[in-house]
Amino acid sequence: MADDETPEQPASEEPAKKPYHDYHQQQADKHQQQALVDAQVAEDLMSNPRYDAFFAPYQPQVREQFVRDYVSKRHLWTQYGDFYERHLAGNLTQFEEEAYIRLWDIQQKKLFDLQCEWRAELVSVPGVNTSADFDTLGGLIEHCTVIPPITPAELAMYLDWVQQADYEEELHDRDHIWQRYDDVKAQLHAEAEEEARDSAYFFGSVSEWYAFHNQRTGHDRLLHLPDLRGQKEKHYLDAWRAHNKAKREAEPTPAPSAPPDPRPAYIPYDETQRLLGVFAQQFESAALNRQRTSYETANPPSTWEDEELERVLDFLKDIDEPVPIAAGDDWRQALREASYAFRKQKLLASLPQAYEAYCQRQEWGIAQPASEDEPHSTAPWYNKAILKGRKLLGEPKDFNF
């Protein structure tokens, strides 16, 4: 080998990724393919005699202009037509679907009340071994058979609550906690305000439907029942955790390794946005920084309110009926309130229909439709930990405690 030759390097099994993960190249390939298709369509429209009769009433130059417009429009049809077809189909049933989803709030409350009684060892529940199993049942509430079906009286009570509920805070795209016993209990007890705020911040809020239901039924008393089952589970969990801790402490101390890198492993979103400008100022030209300043001035960071306003406008544009808007000082807030009021009335009108369909499926023995998302549950690991704790304490490895 000559002195100036470089030894051949072994080929890397995986090529290094570019900083933008080939996104721009993929987009360029996509647009290039679409450009070829558009060119073929344009060539056909210009030269195929099957279209001559269509263009005969016009001067020749009209055909060329029409073809440019048609190809551009056809591109949009093929690119987004399927999406908007699904979007329009969803608009036809959106209120019925929302009502069906909200209908299960009734069953979630009944399941939580049952959990309170089970924890106090007043009842046994088929298939429930530990408190974590209620989390599983709540995630599959549409198929939960340990609580009775919804009654007309329960629907009437729920309609009363919806009538007075704040749609934005309670019903609009809100994921409430339903079966987290400790967090529900903390948030529904006024004397634990700080604990309730922490619980709501970390785990989500409890629906006001729970408090309304308790006021109507007196079921607030269930929150004051002793949590006997929870105390027993804690006893076994503590044994399991103590065993794991002792096992870790007994392991030999690993050889000292290189000190950890003190630098941050990631940059938070807000800090990233700030650093983008700092980087540009430090390394880009004055001309590009003028462009950056102009762009950012015209496109300030959007807030949740900005994004919600966009969603409201899209919703109102899709509604094919009048939506009354009250006068107010802020047109943005007026639009949002008009949208929420309209959706609330649609929900009130759709809930009886959803209930009627629910009852029909119950009568015919048809399974109630459930969410396609796989529900997450803590029960598998929680139940294993309980059994291990029982074994460590010399007790039978079962749930009879």
Side-chain angles (χ1 to χ4, degrees):
M1 177 184 294
D3 291 339
D4 57 349
E5 288 182 348
T6 303
E8 188 173 337
Q9 298 296 319
S12 174
E13 295 182 1
E14 183 177 341
K17 289 184 177 180
K18 298 181 176 63
Y20 46 84
H21 299 291
D22 292 331
Y23 171 78
H24 294 297
Q25 183 62 53
Q26 293 169 5
Q27 292 299 305
D29 293 343
K30 178 180 176 182
H31 289 300
Q32 185 176 25
Q33 182 62 35
Q34 186 62 51
L36 292 174
V37 172
D38 291 347
Q40 292 170 356
V41 172
E43 175 63 24
D44 179 58
L45 292 174
M46 289 296 297
S47 59
N48 195 325
R50 69 190 291 253
Y51 309 118
D52 289 350
F54 181 87
F55 293 108
Y58 308 98
Q59 294 184 27
Q61 67 270 20
V62 171
R63 184 168 186 166
E64 183 177 349
Q65 178 61 49
F66 180 87
V67 168
R68 283 199 297 269
D69 293 341
Y70 184 82
V71 170
S72 176
K73 190 67 72 173
R74 184 182 185 277
H75 175 90
L76 296 176
W77 296 339
T78 58
Q79 191 83 359
Y80 304 108
D82 290 342
F83 167 80
Y84 283 109
E85 182 178 9
R86 294 191 297 271
H87 177 73
L88 293 172
N91 286 344
L92 296 176
T93 59
Q94 61 177 319
F95 301 117
E96 291 82 358
E97 291 175 0
E98 182 181 11
Y100 178 76
I101 293 171
R102 292 271 66 91
L103 196 64
W104 296 105
D105 294 0
I106 299 172
Q107 297 297 76
Q108 291 283 9
K109 180 60 170 72
K110 289 159 65 176
L111 181 62
F112 180 79
D113 289 350
L114 181 64
Q115 181 183 172
C116 292
E117 295 178 317
W118 178 88
R119 283 174 174 271
E121 298 185 340
L122 298 178
V123 297
S124 61
V125 180
V128 172
N129 294 312
T130 72
S131 57
D133 289 324
F134 284 96
D135 184 41
T136 303
L137 293 174
L140 298 169
I141 192 66
E142 300 90 347
H143 299 157
C144 182
T145 58
V146 300
I147 48 177
I150 302 171
T151 67
E154 290 168 343
L155 174 66
M157 188 196 309
Y158 187 74
L159 287 170
D160 287 345
W161 174 70
V162 172
Q163 184 69 56
Q164 57 90 57
D166 184 319
Y167 185 89
E168 180 181 10
E169 293 297 325
E170 291 299 322
L171 297 164
H172 180 46
D173 296 334
R174 297 297 180 192
D175 290 326
H176 293 294
I177 58 173
W178 299 107
Q179 302 305 323
R180 296 182 62 94
Y181 175 81
D182 291 331
D183 296 300
V184 171
K185 194 170 181 178
Q187 292 185 39
L188 291 183
H189 281 179
E191 61 267 22
E193 288 187 11
E194 184 175 351
E195 182 183 357
R197 284 196 301 270
D198 291 343
S199 168
Y201 178 80
F202 288 107
F203 302 109
S205 61
V206 178
S207 172
E208 288 294 329
W209 159 240
Y210 274 27
F212 182 91
H213 184 280
N214 286 344
Q215 291 173 355
R216 285 286 188 92
T217 61
H219 284 191
D220 187 63
R221 61 181 173 77
L222 299 177
L223 295 170
H224 300 281
L225 291 174
D227 183 15
L228 303 178
R229 193 72 180 185
Q231 294 169 10
K232 292 178 180 179
E233 290 179 0
K234 183 179 182 300
H235 176 61
Y236 298 123
L237 285 175
D238 287 345
W240 172 70
R241 292 183 179 118
H243 170 76
N244 289 343
K245 181 180 179 182
K247 186 177 179 181
R248 287 193 302 270
E249 292 175 347
E251 293 176 352
T253 304
S257 57
D261 189 337
R263 297 174 299 177
Y266 75 98
I267 307 177
Y269 176 81
D270 290 342
E271 178 66 4
T272 297
Q273 301 310 303
R274 185 187 70 82
L275 286 176
L276 292 176
V278 173
F279 186 92
Q281 287 177 330
Q282 188 171 349
F283 297 106
E284 297 287 4
S285 66
L288 190 141
N289 273 286
R290 285 196 301 272
Q291 293 174 320
R292 176 184 62 82
T293 302
S294 299
Y295 178 87
E296 293 181 348
T297 301
N299 298 276
S302 62
T303 63
W304 180 89
E305 287 77 11
D306 296 330
E307 295 170 358
E308 177 64 2
L309 179 60
E310 290 296 325
R311 289 187 286 266
V312 165
L313 289 171
D314 289 340
F315 170 78
L316 293 175
K317 285 188 293 186
D318 287 338
I319 297 301
D320 191 21
E321 56 184 290
V323 178
I325 300 177
D329 296 332
D330 186 344
W331 66 271
R332 297 172 182 82
Q333 183 63 25
L335 280 179
R336 284 171 55 183
E337 291 177 354
S339 171
Y340 299 149
F342 180 85
R343 295 185 66 147
K344 181 174 176 177
Q345 293 307 311
K346 285 292 185 180
L347 178 60
L348 286 166
S350 299
L351 275 166
Q353 300 171 14
Y355 178 65
E356 183 179 351
Y358 162 87
C359 291
Q360 193 70 74
R361 285 189 289 267
Q362 288 286 112
E363 181 181 343
W364 290 350
I366 300 174
Q368 302 291 342
S371 170
E372 296 181 358
D373 297 332
E374 188 69 24
H376 172 74
S377 175
T378 60
W381 75 263
Y382 188 93
N383 292 358
K384 288 180 182 179
I386 294 289
L387 293 177
K388 289 178 180 177
R390 293 261 290 166
K391 183 179 179 180
L392 289 167
L393 294 173
E395 300 182 17
K397 198 175 178 181
D398 58 33
F399 297 104
N400 298 318
F401 56 85

PDB file of all heavy atoms in Angstrom, residues 3-15:
ATOM      1  N   ASP A   3       2.249   4.983   0.632  1.00  0.00           N
ATOM      2  CA  ASP A   3       2.211   5.756   1.878  1.00  0.00           C
ATOM      3  C   ASP A   3       1.043   6.718   1.930  1.00  0.00           C
ATOM      4  O   ASP A   3       0.538   7.041   3.004  1.00  0.00           O
ATOM      5  CB  ASP A   3       3.522   6.528   2.037  1.00  0.00           C
ATOM      6  CG  ASP A   3       4.682   5.586   2.295  1.00  0.00           C
ATOM      7  OD1 ASP A   3       4.437   4.436   2.731  1.00  0.00           O
ATOM      8  OD2 ASP A   3       5.822   6.016   2.070  1.00  0.00           O
ATOM      9  N   ASP A   4       0.635   7.246   0.728  1.00  0.00           N
ATOM     10  CA  ASP A   4      -0.432   8.256   0.746  1.00  0.00           C
ATOM     11  C   ASP A   4      -1.822   7.639   0.623  1.00  0.00           C
ATOM     12  O   ASP A   4      -2.807   8.349   0.510  1.00  0.00           O
ATOM     13  CB  ASP A   4      -0.214   9.264  -0.393  1.00  0.00           C
ATOM     14  CG  ASP A   4      -0.163   8.581  -1.750  1.00  0.00           C
ATOM     15  OD1 ASP A   4      -0.077   7.324  -1.802  1.00  0.00           O
ATOM     16  OD2 ASP A   4      -0.196   9.299  -2.749  1.00  0.00           O
ATOM     17  N   GLU A   5      -1.887   6.313   0.636  1.00  0.00           N
ATOM     18  CA  GLU A   5      -3.197   5.671   0.549  1.00  0.00           C
ATOM     19  C   GLU A   5      -3.797   5.536   1.954  1.00  0.00           C
ATOM     20  O   GLU A   5      -3.097   5.276   2.938  1.00  0.00           O
ATOM     21  CB  GLU A   5      -3.084   4.298  -0.094  1.00  0.00           C
ATOM     22  CG  GLU A   5      -2.800   4.360  -1.597  1.00  0.00           C
ATOM     23  CD  GLU A   5      -2.751   2.973  -2.190  1.00  0.00           C
ATOM     24  OE1 GLU A   5      -2.701   1.981  -1.423  1.00  0.00           O
ATOM     25  OE2 GLU A   5      -2.759   2.880  -3.409  1.00  0.00           O
ATOM     26  N   THR A   6      -5.079   5.675   1.994  1.00  0.00           N
ATOM     27  CA  THR A   6      -5.786   5.532   3.271  1.00  0.00           C
ATOM     28  C   THR A   6      -6.360   4.135   3.366  1.00  0.00           C
ATOM     29  O   THR A   6      -6.972   3.656   2.414  1.00  0.00           O
ATOM     30  CB  THR A   6      -6.930   6.558   3.369  1.00  0.00           C
ATOM     31  OG1 THR A   6      -6.388   7.853   3.205  1.00  0.00           O
ATOM     32  CG2 THR A   6      -7.646   6.448   4.709  1.00  0.00           C
ATOM     33  N   PRO A   7      -6.150   3.442   4.477  1.00  0.00           N
ATOM     34  CA  PRO A   7      -6.712   2.092   4.586  1.00  0.00           C
ATOM     35  C   PRO A   7      -8.231   2.125   4.490  1.00  0.00           C
ATOM     36  O   PRO A   7      -8.889   3.048   4.975  1.00  0.00           O
ATOM     37  CB  PRO A   7      -6.250   1.623   5.974  1.00  0.00           C
ATOM     38  CG  PRO A   7      -5.912   2.854   6.726  1.00  0.00           C
ATOM     39  CD  PRO A   7      -5.440   3.849   5.705  1.00  0.00           C
ATOM     40  N   GLU A   8      -8.758   1.113   3.832  1.00  0.00           N
ATOM     41  CA  GLU A   8     -10.210   1.051   3.629  1.00  0.00           C
ATOM     42  C   GLU A   8     -10.901   0.813   4.964  1.00  0.00           C
ATOM     43  O   GLU A   8     -10.539  -0.090   5.723  1.00  0.00           O
ATOM     44  CB  GLU A   8     -10.533  -0.079   2.658  1.00  0.00           C
ATOM     45  CG  GLU A   8     -12.006  -0.092   2.236  1.00  0.00           C
ATOM     46  CD  GLU A   8     -12.234  -1.118   1.141  1.00  0.00           C
ATOM     47  OE1 GLU A   8     -11.265  -1.466   0.440  1.00  0.00           O
ATOM     48  OE2 GLU A   8     -13.376  -1.555   1.003  1.00  0.00           O
ATOM     49  N   GLN A   9     -11.884   1.639   5.259  1.00  0.00           N
ATOM     50  CA  GLN A   9     -12.600   1.524   6.520  1.00  0.00           C
ATOM     51  C   GLN A   9     -13.758   0.538   6.368  1.00  0.00           C
ATOM     52  O   GLN A   9     -14.407   0.486   5.323  1.00  0.00           O
ATOM     53  CB  GLN A   9     -13.153   2.894   6.946  1.00  0.00           C
ATOM     54  CG  GLN A   9     -12.078   3.932   7.188  1.00  0.00           C
ATOM     55  CD  GLN A   9     -11.184   3.556   8.339  1.00  0.00           C
ATOM     56  OE1 GLN A   9     -11.647   3.069   9.368  1.00  0.00           O
ATOM     57  NE2 GLN A   9      -9.877   3.759   8.167  1.00  0.00           N
ATOM     58  N   PRO A  10     -14.039  -0.242   7.389  1.00  0.00           N
ATOM     59  CA  PRO A  10     -15.188  -1.163   7.301  1.00  0.00           C
ATOM     60  C   PRO A  10     -16.481  -0.366   7.194  1.00  0.00           C
ATOM     61  O   PRO A  10     -16.640   0.680   7.818  1.00  0.00           O
ATOM     62  CB  PRO A  10     -15.121  -1.946   8.621  1.00  0.00           C
ATOM     63  CG  PRO A  10     -14.341  -1.068   9.552  1.00  0.00           C
ATOM     64  CD  PRO A  10     -13.349  -0.337   8.686  1.00  0.00           C
ATOM     65  N   ALA A  11     -17.364  -0.886   6.362  1.00  0.00           N
ATOM     66  CA  ALA A  11     -18.652  -0.202   6.157  1.00  0.00           C
ATOM     67  C   ALA A  11     -19.460  -0.209   7.444  1.00  0.00           C
ATOM     68  O   ALA A  11     -19.531  -1.217   8.145  1.00  0.00           O
ATOM     69  CB  ALA A  11     -19.423  -0.886   5.036  1.00  0.00           C
ATOM     70  N   SER A  12     -20.045   0.907   7.767  1.00  0.00           N
ATOM     71  CA  SER A  12     -20.885   1.000   8.958  1.00  0.00           C
ATOM     72  C   SER A  12     -22.178   0.235   8.724  1.00  0.00           C
ATOM     73  O   SER A  12     -22.757   0.283   7.644  1.00  0.00           O
ATOM     74  CB  SER A  12     -21.202   2.468   9.257  1.00  0.00           C
ATOM     75  OG  SER A  12     -22.129   2.564  10.312  1.00  0.00           O
ATOM     76  N   GLU A  13     -22.603  -0.516   9.743  1.00  0.00           N
ATOM     77  CA  GLU A  13     -23.839  -1.286   9.596  1.00  0.00           C
ATOM     78  C   GLU A  13     -25.046  -0.383   9.425  1.00  0.00           C
ATOM     79  O   GLU A  13     -26.009  -0.735   8.764  1.00  0.00           O
ATOM     80  CB  GLU A  13     -24.035  -2.183  10.821  1.00  0.00           C
ATOM     81  CG  GLU A  13     -22.956  -3.260  10.948  1.00  0.00           C
ATOM     82  CD  GLU A  13     -23.218  -4.152  12.135  1.00  0.00           C
ATOM     83  OE1 GLU A  13     -24.237  -3.939  12.816  1.00  0.00           O
ATOM     84  OE2 GLU A  13     -22.408  -5.064  12.388  1.00  0.00           O
ATOM     85  N   GLU A  14     -25.017   0.775  10.030  1.00  0.00           N
ATOM     86  CA  GLU A  14     -26.157   1.698   9.946  1.00  0.00           C
ATOM     87  C   GLU A  14     -25.635   3.088   9.628  1.00  0.00           C
ATOM     88  O   GLU A  14     -24.840   3.643  10.365  1.00  0.00           O
ATOM     89  CB  GLU A  14     -26.913   1.733  11.280  1.00  0.00           C
ATOM     90  CG  GLU A  14     -28.152   2.615  11.249  1.00  0.00           C
ATOM     91  CD  GLU A  14     -28.900   2.551  12.565  1.00  0.00           C
ATOM     92  OE1 GLU A  14     -28.677   1.604  13.328  1.00  0.00           O
ATOM     93  OE2 GLU A  14     -29.711   3.463  12.807  1.00  0.00           O
ATOM     94  N   PRO A  15     -26.068   3.640   8.489  1.00  0.00           N
ATOM     95  CA  PRO A  15     -25.572   4.972   8.133  1.00  0.00           C
ATOM     96  C   PRO A  15     -25.985   6.000   9.173  1.00  0.00           C
ATOM     97  O   PRO A  15     -27.050   5.906   9.782  1.00  0.00           O
ATOM     98  CB  PRO A  15     -26.250   5.247   6.783  1.00  0.00           C
ATOM     99  CG  PRO A  15     -27.443   4.349   6.765  1.00  0.00           C
ATOM    100  CD  PRO A  15     -27.060   3.129   7.541  1.00  0.00           C
TER     101      PRO A  15
END
